[in-house]
Amino acid sequence: MTEEIIKRAQEWLDPSFDAETRQAVQQLLKGDPRELEDSFYKNLEFGTGGLRGIMGAGTNRMNRYTVGMATQGLADYVKKACPAPYRAAISYDCRNASPDFARITAEVLAANDFTVYLSDTLRPTPELSFAVRQLGCNIGVMITASHNPKEYNGYKVYWNDGAQVVAPHDKNIINEVLGISSPSQVRFTGGAGRIETLGAEMDELYLSAILSLLKLSPDAIKKQKDLKMVYTPLHGTGVHLVPEALRRMGFCNLYHVPAQDVNDGNFPTVVSPNPEEPEALRMAVEKAAEVGACLVMATDPDADRVGVAVRNDANQIQLLNGNQTAALLTWYLLMKWKENGQLKGREYIVKTIVTSDLLRVMALDYGVECYEVLTGFKYIAQVVREQEGEKTFIGGGEESFGYNVGEFVRDKDAVVACALIAEAAAWAAEQGRTLFHLLTDLYVRYGFFKESLMSRTMKGKDGMEQMKALMNRYRMEPPRQLLGSPVVLVHDYLKSETVDMVSDLRYTIQLPKSDVIQFVCMDNTVVTIRPSGTEPKIKYYFGVRDVLEKAEDLHKTETQLDRKIEALKALF
């Protein structure tokens, strides 16, 4: 451990820090050197989702001082970049310390001459995005660590378009935050009278707006209003608004998991509140089996992502992955828009580069443009902002269980996604089908697309260095073939360059630079590798495909694709 790290820790023993913080730092200095190093070896940085980190004392932890310093830097940047008056909307999720971090953020912004609209209780992230635009705010801040374990919290920053910040604002905010070297530079007080309460009136505006985008199949909903569904908020913010949205649509047979309706930042009923993890949906799936429900939906703590389970061809509850849910929702929207005469020739969808190519193939079939962007929903929102008034956004999604419809919200939105999933299920039921049958139909029509994700956790300073070394190796020595299929394209998003491995020609990638590398094989196998922007992980995305001639061959073809994916994972 360097003397600099010890010195940084000792600075937090100053009386300007509260007694609880000083005591925690004393324990770190006397205790585990590795924990001390990880707490102080760097400042908590903005990644693809803003600030996110373990709660505790230290410069690399989420606490009132790092939140205050980030907020001061944010305020300084907004006042340089935007004309007065200044406005901000702030909300928070169910995590431990979230209300305190939200209050600190509000007080610092108020002390910096902002009028602040602070939620009176926990609210979903998409509602915060909506509120920013509705209230004409310069910025919004959502206190949440999304689906991370209970030790984490986070701080998502939204710009005036309701989307998470992108270049140049993200880097400029970081530069301003770096200029705040001590909590003594933060205006923690002095904003009396500038904080206003944001309550149920915004709920009403938000629900009315997003529900105006749906009911594409009103007759199906009316006839299938008793469709049995199970919903769980996983202890989070979706607990009120998702059931209310479904009720307003006309659905009246929604089952809950009572233990998970309790807002609790310790997430006592799950190992991790991540709807990507099968364990997180276990209790909801058990409830569905008990009551005979055909659909299960689970939203993460800040209700921007949703996990889905449906009854398969054996009448068993089967979990869908994020690509499958996005494919179903995209197809349902495209099909209904065409049926209703809403496709005029200027519509588009958006997906990320690691999301299934099935979305792009379907869009092409319906004559709808498909934009591809970097990983992170803020890049989907950026396309929506750039095309606003020129083209019509139908919907967009990413493999990590995020989806959105329309332009009211500029982030992934599990509330509207749950409503759309329920509507699609009702439409399918009216045809004597299930969502699983619809997905099988898509595979027969467009090809069986199968994807999988593998993550390697690499914590702390050593982990960061290991991830950097791995990415350098993949760049310097890209594979020539994968499972016998030649690699024909290498997309290096950090170099902004595509290399055609056959002709050796090079093409410029017209996307922001990002530490992502992607290998595309002759047989349409795609492998994408990137360090996570929100977790200490390096992520490997695998995509394979094959022809599915008839529904009866589904399981045989899926087994073959699964074997191929497992073989790819073994290579990496």
Side-chain angles (χ1 to χ4, degrees), residues 129 133 158-159 161-166 348 350-352 371 373-388 393 395-398 404 406-412:
S129 170
R133 300 178 72 238
Y158 291 77
W159 202 241
D161 63 341
Q164 290 189 57
V165 290
V166 295
Y348 67 96
V350 192
K351 77 175 196 70
T352 67
Y371 288 87
V373 298
L374 294 175
T375 305
F377 221 90
K378 63 183 181 180
Y379 296 114
I380 295 178
Q382 185 176 18
V383 173
V384 176
R385 181 180 70 245
E386 291 170 350
Q387 301 302 325
E388 191 170 9
F393 175 58
E398 57 185 3
N404 193 16
E407 301 182 5
F408 290 115
V409 172
R410 302 299 173 88
D411 204 350
K412 48 192 176 289

Side-chain angles (χ1 to χ4, degrees), residues 149-392:
K150 63 182 180 180
E151 296 83 9
Y152 284 77
N153 214 321
Y155 181 107
K156 293 182 181 179
V157 179
Y158 291 77
W159 202 241
N160 58 14
D161 63 341
Q164 290 189 57
V165 290
V166 295
H169 303 304
D170 51 359
K171 293 181 180 179
N172 291 340
I173 291 170
I174 290 171
N175 289 336
E176 290 294 335
V177 172
L178 289 175
I180 308 299
S181 58
S182 167
S184 64
Q185 297 172 263
V186 180
R187 300 188 187 103
F188 281 104
T189 60
R194 289 186 173 273
I195 300 176
E196 300 184 18
T197 299
L198 202 57
E201 70 282 355
M202 188 57 64
D203 298 341
E204 189 62 35
L205 291 171
Y206 166 66
L207 283 173
S208 296
I210 63 172
L211 291 180
S212 71
L213 300 166
L214 302 180
K215 292 198 175 180
L216 299 171
S217 304
D219 290 340
I221 293 174
K222 187 178 297 185
K223 294 177 182 178
Q224 299 295 330
K225 65 179 182 179
D226 292 325
L227 200 68
K228 291 183 178 181
M229 299 177 284
V230 175
Y231 167 71
T232 172
L234 297 178
H235 301 289
T237 60
V239 63
H240 299 301
L241 292 188
V242 171
E244 179 62 16
L246 295 171
R247 186 192 66 78
R248 292 190 184 194
M249 292 181 72
F251 294 108
C252 55
N253 210 358
L254 181 67
Y255 291 85
H256 293 250
V257 181
Q260 295 182 335
D261 278 349
V262 178
N263 294 135
D264 190 336
N266 292 314
F267 308 109
T269 67
V270 293
V271 176
S272 174
N274 185 352
E276 293 183 70
E277 301 291 341
E279 204 307 71
L281 276 72
R282 178 180 54 81
M283 293 180 70
V285 168
E286 290 173 353
K287 174 63 73 171
E290 174 191 331
V291 302
C294 68
L295 176 64
V296 173
M297 296 177 287
T299 55
D300 64 348
D302 64 325
D304 62 354
R305 303 189 312 144
V306 58
V308 177
V310 301
R311 290 210 175 262
N312 61 21
D313 52 357
N315 200 34
Q316 298 174 330
I317 297 292
Q318 178 173 323
L319 302 179
L320 301 183
N321 63 39
N323 285 298
Q324 292 170 321
T325 300
L328 279 170
L329 296 185
T330 299
W331 175 81
Y332 177 73
L333 287 168
L334 291 172
M335 180 269 297
K336 294 304 295 186
W337 277 52
K338 181 177 181 179
E339 182 180 289
N340 296 340
Q342 294 173 262
L343 295 183
K344 307 296 184 182
R346 300 191 63 79
E347 295 76 25
Y348 67 96
I349 67 167
V350 192
K351 77 175 196 70
T352 67
I353 58 174
V354 297
T355 300
S356 177
D357 279 337
L358 178 54
L359 274 67
R360 177 179 53 79
V361 173
M362 290 190 298
L364 179 65
D365 184 42
Y366 279 88
V368 169
E369 191 171 2
C370 177
Y371 288 87
E372 296 203 47
V373 298
L374 294 175
T375 305
F377 221 90
K378 63 183 181 180
Y379 296 114
I380 295 178
Q382 185 176 18
V383 173
V384 176
R385 181 180 70 245
E386 291 170 350
Q387 301 302 325
E388 191 170 9
E390 300 294 326
K391 300 178 182 179
T392 302

Side-chain angles (χ1 to χ4, degrees), residues 507-524:
Y507 307 92
T508 301
I509 296 174
Q510 301 295 334
L511 291 174
K513 290 183 181 295
S514 183
D515 192 9
V516 182
I517 192 160
Q518 188 174 67
F519 308 120
V520 182
C521 295
M522 188 174 292
D523 67 353
N524 291 314

Side-chain angles (χ1 to χ4, degrees), residues 19 131 146 200 218 238 248 275 364 455 459 488 498 557:
S146 188
R248 292 190 184 194
L364 179 65
S455 298
K459 294 183 178 180
V488 293
T498 291
T557 304

Side-chain angles (χ1 to χ4, degrees), residues 477-494:
E477 303 173 8
R480 292 290 173 176
Q481 56 83 27
L482 295 174
L483 303 182
S485 181
V487 174
V488 293
L489 295 173
V490 176
H491 302 299
D492 190 335
Y493 292 89
L494 190 61

